[in-house]
Amino acid sequence: MRSVLLRSIAIFAIVSCALAQEASHNQEPNHNMDMSGQEQSGQVTRNMSMEGSPSWLPSFHAGSGSNWQPASVPAHLWMTTRSSWDLMAHGALFLTYNQQGGPRGEGKAESVNYLMLMEQHKLGPGTLLFRQMFSAESLTSPHPGFPELFQTGETYHGQPLIDHQHPHNVFAELSMLYTVPVSEKVSWLFYGGPSAEPALGPVTYIHRESASENPAAPLSHHLQDSTHTSFGVVTTGFVIDRFKIEGSAFNGHEPDEDRWDIQLGALNSWSFRVSAAPTRNWVAEYSYGYLQRPEALEPGNERREGASLEYNRPLTNGNWATSLIWGRKRKLLDDTVQNSYLLESTLNFRKRNYAYTRLELVDKDELFPEAPTHPSFRIGAYTFGGVRDLVQNHHWQLGLGADMVFYSKPGVLDWTYGDRPVSFHVFLRLRTGLSGHRH
């Protein structure tokens, strides 16, 4: 394990140095919001970085938890100021018909949705940010959740969820973030809450710009970013120039099937993460964590490890966002390892048009929980889709979209999943409008 950790850190350092060298030759212009507080269509366009942060540094408003996305990602936000508070809101609602193919597939009308509120205020030498994220998915996709071939993770009625993605909790995040500048290039951060995200994994798929048009969770979600809702998190760290180093203590147990409450527990798990933002368009991160009894029906502990590279490129009439993610889970009870690899990209062109893809390879050892042994199967999922905005203004973006998902799998699974299953979604997507500025 130690050699793997050292190799991963070395790879991360090499990538960061290479990107930093690129930055020294090609500095992007500053597209950040100014601090003028101008009114525009009922909104206030303000600097979306924490108070005193350089314009090229990623904004904590654009990621998840204390994570970073590239500083150039577009801001789908409503913003205003009341007294000395900056108030922000964003969210998304997908109304979807979901048809999963093959003998284990099913069709279902459903809704993926979330709403995030943020309140920012100057406090002493630093800046305080409160964040609340809510989801009604327990009502819009009741038992047993969203149909999704080969998806595994969490439980319902004492049984593991197979071929379904669980709904998110009503209180998906209740957190605070406090940042204090220590010197010109160093700041200290403190983050946490009763429902929050530890420093483990990439920006969760719900908030990744590269996944913004896709209504489905990745099959690799539970190997990469499933800790984005943890009931009890304390994180601290430092931003040093273009780098961020942070560590967390958190409750490692997965949420149970009661999606309406907060199940606080001991801070029995830990993680650390190092991130780099060499330019406004690039972010890289590596993280490692130990989780105590994360699974409700499995007695063992886990170690999780992963790295990601995110790229965002603003275009004249659009945007291009891409993420490359690796995630690994090691179950300590039987010393088994599952890996996952994800490449996803979303291209917004001619303002109203979006094309997106997600390509995954992921190891699954939970497809047949009733079997006496649990072999691991390498599953591939390949998504291709598009969206066209029907309404697009400063307040709303309403789009009509569809996608298809193809799979690769071992032949031994043909008897239960079919020879060549194909799944598809048709959906309306409603979200907050573009503020007209970058983060």
Side-chain angles (χ1 to χ4, degrees):
M1 182 195 72
R2 187 173 299 174
S3 62
V4 172
L5 179 60
L6 292 175
R7 285 199 302 270
S8 300
I9 294 175
I11 292 170
F12 172 79
I14 291 170
V15 171
S16 299
C17 290
L19 295 178
Q21 185 176 13
E22 175 194 337
S24 65
H25 292 289
N26 185 27
Q27 291 289 336
E28 287 99 3
N30 177 11
H31 300 294
N32 229 43
M33 302 180 190
D34 60 31
M35 292 297 291
S36 62
Q38 273 186 309
E39 289 285 343
Q40 181 179 355
S41 301
Q43 297 171 302
V44 177
T45 57
R46 296 179 60 87
N47 191 325
M48 293 310 298
S49 298
M50 304 300 282
E51 191 75 26
S53 297
S55 62
W56 45 261
L57 197 66
S59 167
F60 286 110
H61 308 96
S64 61
S66 56
N67 224 325
W68 276 352
Q69 283 202 96
S72 62
V73 296
H76 294 274
L77 286 167
W78 295 333
M79 298 167 283
T80 189
T81 298
R82 293 293 182 266
S83 299
S84 57
W85 286 87
D86 295 331
L87 307 178
M88 294 152 273
H90 67 92
L93 170 69
F94 289 85
L95 299 176
T96 305
Y97 178 72
N98 173 7
Q99 179 64 60
Q100 298 293 293
R104 295 182 70 161
E106 63 177 294
K108 188 176 184 180
E110 62 192 21
S111 172
V112 173
N113 53 79
Y114 77 90
L115 171 67
M116 177 170 281
L117 308 176
M118 291 176 281
E119 305 86 28
Q120 182 173 296
H121 181 66
K122 181 75 173 174
L123 180 64
T127 304
L128 182 65
L129 174 69
F130 291 107
R131 186 189 289 147
Q132 310 88 41
M133 191 172 88
F134 308 100
S135 176
E137 290 177 358
S138 56
L139 297 177
T140 59
S141 186
H143 170 63
F146 304 99
E148 186 170 8
L149 287 188
F150 302 105
Q151 185 64 287
T152 59
E154 302 201 8
T155 60
Y156 189 84
H157 284 182
Q159 298 296 321
L161 282 174
I162 309 295
D163 299 319
H164 287 83
Q165 166 65 20
H166 61 82
H168 284 100
N169 289 67
V170 172
F171 303 105
E173 184 171 3
L174 298 172
S175 69
M176 60 146 292
L177 172 69
Y178 186 55
T179 59
V180 180
V182 177
S183 66
E184 183 180 354
K185 292 189 175 182
V186 178
S187 60
W188 171 70
L189 69 88
F190 179 83
Y191 167 85
S195 179
E197 178 181 329
L200 182 60
V203 172
T204 184
Y205 74 94
I206 300 172
H207 300 300
R208 283 200 303 267
E209 187 64 26
S210 57
S212 58
E213 304 302 321
N214 192 335
L219 292 184
S220 49
H221 172 50
H222 287 271
L223 279 74
Q224 295 176 354
D225 55 354
S226 64
T227 54
H228 72 93
T229 296
S230 298
F231 292 127
V233 176
V234 175
T235 298
T236 190
F238 290 92
V239 177
I240 306 171
D241 195 19
R242 298 174 185 267
F243 295 86
K244 177 162 58 72
I245 303 170
E246 52 192 329
S248 298
F250 63 100
N251 173 10
H253 301 320
E254 65 181 21
D256 65 21
E257 64 196 53
D258 185 359
R259 302 292 169 179
W260 292 85
D261 62 1
I262 296 175
Q263 305 121 36
L264 291 176
L267 305 183
N268 55 14
S269 306
W270 58 265
S271 65
F272 73 86
R273 181 168 58 208
V274 289
S275 308
T279 77
R280 284 180 53 82
N281 289 353
W282 289 94
V283 165
E285 63 85 21
Y286 168 83
S287 62
Y288 186 90
Y290 169 83
L291 284 74
Q292 187 173 108
R293 295 289 303 272
E295 305 290 342
L297 300 181
E298 294 188 20
N301 303 330
E302 295 180 358
R303 297 189 184 275
R304 295 192 188 177
E305 182 181 9
S308 65
L309 187 64
E310 293 189 57
Y311 175 72
N312 189 80
R313 183 186 180 95
L315 305 175
T316 302
N317 290 304
N319 192 73
W320 179 32
T322 301
S323 297
L324 178 63
I325 303 172
W326 163 67
R328 169 181 288 175
K329 174 195 294 188
R330 180 184 293 273
K331 297 181 179 181
L332 300 183
L333 186 64
D334 54 8
D335 197 31
T336 58
V337 174
Q338 288 81 46
N339 283 288
S340 65
Y341 310 91
L342 178 147
L343 174 65
E344 66 185 13
S345 189
T346 295
L347 174 65
N348 173 212
F349 59 99
R350 295 187 177 180
K351 294 185 179 180
R352 293 177 177 265
N353 305 292
Y354 304 82
Y356 65 89
T357 186
R358 176 184 287 155
L359 311 176
E360 294 187 83
L361 290 175
V362 56
D363 296 331
K364 292 286 183 177
D365 66 348
E366 301 170 332
L367 294 176
F368 304 99
E370 70 283 353
T373 60
H374 300 92
S376 182
F377 303 98
R378 174 63 59 87
I379 305 298
Y382 316 102
T383 303
F384 303 91
V387 179
R388 166 74 176 181
D389 271 343
L390 307 177
V391 176
Q392 190 180 84
N393 55 49
H394 291 299
H395 301 289
W396 303 100
Q397 288 187 327
L398 175 66
L400 175 64
D403 65 37
M404 298 189 71
V405 188
F406 306 90
Y407 305 93
S408 62
K409 62 187 183 333
V412 70
L413 297 180
D414 289 355
W415 67 274
T416 183
Y417 282 98
D419 186 18
R420 292 184 177 87
V422 176
S423 302
F424 69 87
H425 302 87
V426 179
F427 57 88
L428 284 171
R429 182 262 295 136
L430 179 67
R431 69 174 171 219
T432 45
L434 276 170
S435 68
H437 296 265
R438 300 282 157 179
H439 281 280

